[in-house]
Each structure stands twice: as C-alpha cells, then as structure tokens.
Amino acid sequence: MTVDVAPSSVKRRKGLSDDAGRGRVSIGSKIALLIGAFAFLFPFYYMIIGSLQEEPDSSPTGAFPNPGNLTLDNYTEINSAISLGRSLVNSGIFTGGVMICTTVFGLLAGYALARLHFRGRGSTFALVLLVQVVPFQLLIIPLYVLIVRNYGLADSYLGMILPFAINTSAVFIFRQFFLQLPPAMFEAARIDGASELQILFRIAVPLCKPALISVVLLSFTGPWNEFLWPFLVTKDADMQPLAVSLANYISTVSSAAANPFGTILAGACVLAAPAVALYIAFQSRFNSTDIDSATKG
C-alpha cells in the first residue's frame, strides 16, 4: 500500500514561494520608502548645511561641505539683525492664542453639531463647509477695516489672533470624531443627570485625543508660518512674528550681510525647528482610541 504525499509537498512548496514573494514585496516597499524619505528630508538637510556654511556653495557639492567651512556665525548675524528671541516670543504668543481659541471653540461647536439636536443644525454645518472654500485673501480688506480701524487693534496680539480664533477645519474634525462615539455613552450620562458640558469634558474629550492632536498640529503650523495678516497689522518691529521679521530682513538688509544665503537659511532653520519638533513629539500619539470599551459593563 502506497501513500501519495505529492499534494502536501506541493502545498509546502507553494507556501514557501508565497513567503518568498511577500519577502520580496516587503523589501521593495522598504526601498521605496527609504527613497521617498531621502527625497523628503534632503531639503531640510541642505537647509541646515547651508545655514552653517561660512562661504556659500550652491553647487551640488555644497551638500557635502568641508568641515572647516562650517560655522555658527550665520545664526549670530540673523539674531543681531532681527532679534530672534523677541520674534520667537511673538510667534509663540500668536500661535498659542490661536491654538487655544481654535481648540476650545472647535470642541464646543463640533460637539454641538454632532450630539445636540436643534433646528437648523444641518444648515449650520453646511455653512461651516461653505466657509472652508472661501479664500482668506478675500476677507483681508474687511478684516483690516474692522480690526485695525474700528477696533484699534493694530500692533497687538489680539489683533493678530482674532481672525484665526475659529477654524472651520477644527470644527469639522471634532464633529466627525464625536459622531463616531457610541450614542449609549451620552444617553447614560444624561440619565445620570450630567450636563452637556460635563458630558463633553468628562466623557467625550478624554476619548478624542487623536482629534485633539490633529487640531493642535493643524492650528500650530498655520499661524506659525502665517505672514500676510501679521505683516498688515504689525508695523512695530518688536511686535512682529518670526515669519514677518525674516521676510523684512530678506527684503531690506540681507544683501548687506557677509553671507546672505547662509543667514537667510539660518533664519529658516529657526522658523522650521518648532514645527518639526512638534510633529516628531506627537507622531507616536496618532493612535485610535478604544471607544467601544467605554460602553462595556
């Protein structure tokens, strides 16, 4: 009596070939990701190297400079020209105020549009979406007249913050996240006598950390790199954020610097550093929250 073992052998060979195929796909994906990461990071690398060069070298060989040509003098020069510390403080106050207002108002509006039932809720959300397609540049003139001439908020932090206090993108993000939360949580809290604000801050907010982080990053990068509006409302150099101070330096006195190329790149590095650090710090926090566990007894 003989036993036919061919099918099992065929299956083993097929399994080995499938594993090898998956291995080749995995290696190919890693190579593609490495190439993409290099292409993405190279401009940042070149910006840092350019900011450290004593003598500018814009040729391809400048990406691999002579160590003897590296110095921190460009950072010293840009600091003496525009006072980096003061400009960073202005950017921090401007950006921090926008982040707080955007987060608080976005939470309240997003929760109301997601979980409260009132007349006109659908029309209000449609209006929120409509506002997103209106370019900010169209609103600059009426905003300038309102804030600078009517309210007299020129050269003030409040004048810079007010136009960005409410971000419709943040409202949309919070609304979509709150809609995913189990309705049973909210009903149980209402039965226990909790108010809507208690439900929001004690139940909903602890579960929406991914949405909070997304809104924080969104509301940070916009005002931190904003140039046009702060440029219009701030004429005092001591009130200007770093983006405006750096642009003024480029357009006025950069040509008189010993190394304009390196000095401008030094300012760009200082401007980009907080945003890059924030993304690195929070990249591991983009995890889904187990919201279903909140409804299990």
Side-chain angles (χ1 to χ4, degrees), residues 86 90 154-155 230 233-241 244-245 248:
R86 182 62 186 176
N90 294 335
D155 287 320
V233 298
T234 57
K235 301 304 178 184
D236 186 0
D238 291 335
M239 289 295 301
Q240 291 176 341
V244 178
S245 299
N248 288 336

Side-chain angles (χ1 to χ4, degrees), residues 54-74:
E54 184 175 4
E55 296 294 333
D57 185 2
S58 57
S59 65
T61 58
F64 308 98
N66 182 2
N69 191 35
L70 301 181
T71 180
L72 294 175
D73 291 343
N74 294 323

Side-chain angles (χ1 to χ4, degrees), residues 115-138:
R115 289 301 172 185
L116 299 183
H117 299 282
F118 56 90
R119 181 178 299 178
R121 186 178 69 167
S123 301
T124 304
F125 180 63
L127 183 61
V128 170
L129 296 180
L130 181 62
V131 170
Q132 287 186 318
V133 304
V134 178
F136 179 74
Q137 289 76 7
L138 293 179

Side-chain angles (χ1 to χ4, degrees), residues 47-89:
M47 179 176 66
I48 295 172
I49 292 299
S51 70
L52 295 173
Q53 289 180 345
E54 184 175 4
E55 296 294 333
D57 185 2
S58 57
S59 65
T61 58
F64 308 98
N66 182 2
N69 191 35
L70 301 181
T71 180
L72 294 175
D73 291 343
N74 294 323
Y75 290 89
T76 303
E77 184 167 352
I78 190 66
N79 181 52
S80 62
I82 64 174
S83 182
L84 286 177
R86 182 62 186 176
S87 297
L88 284 171
V89 169

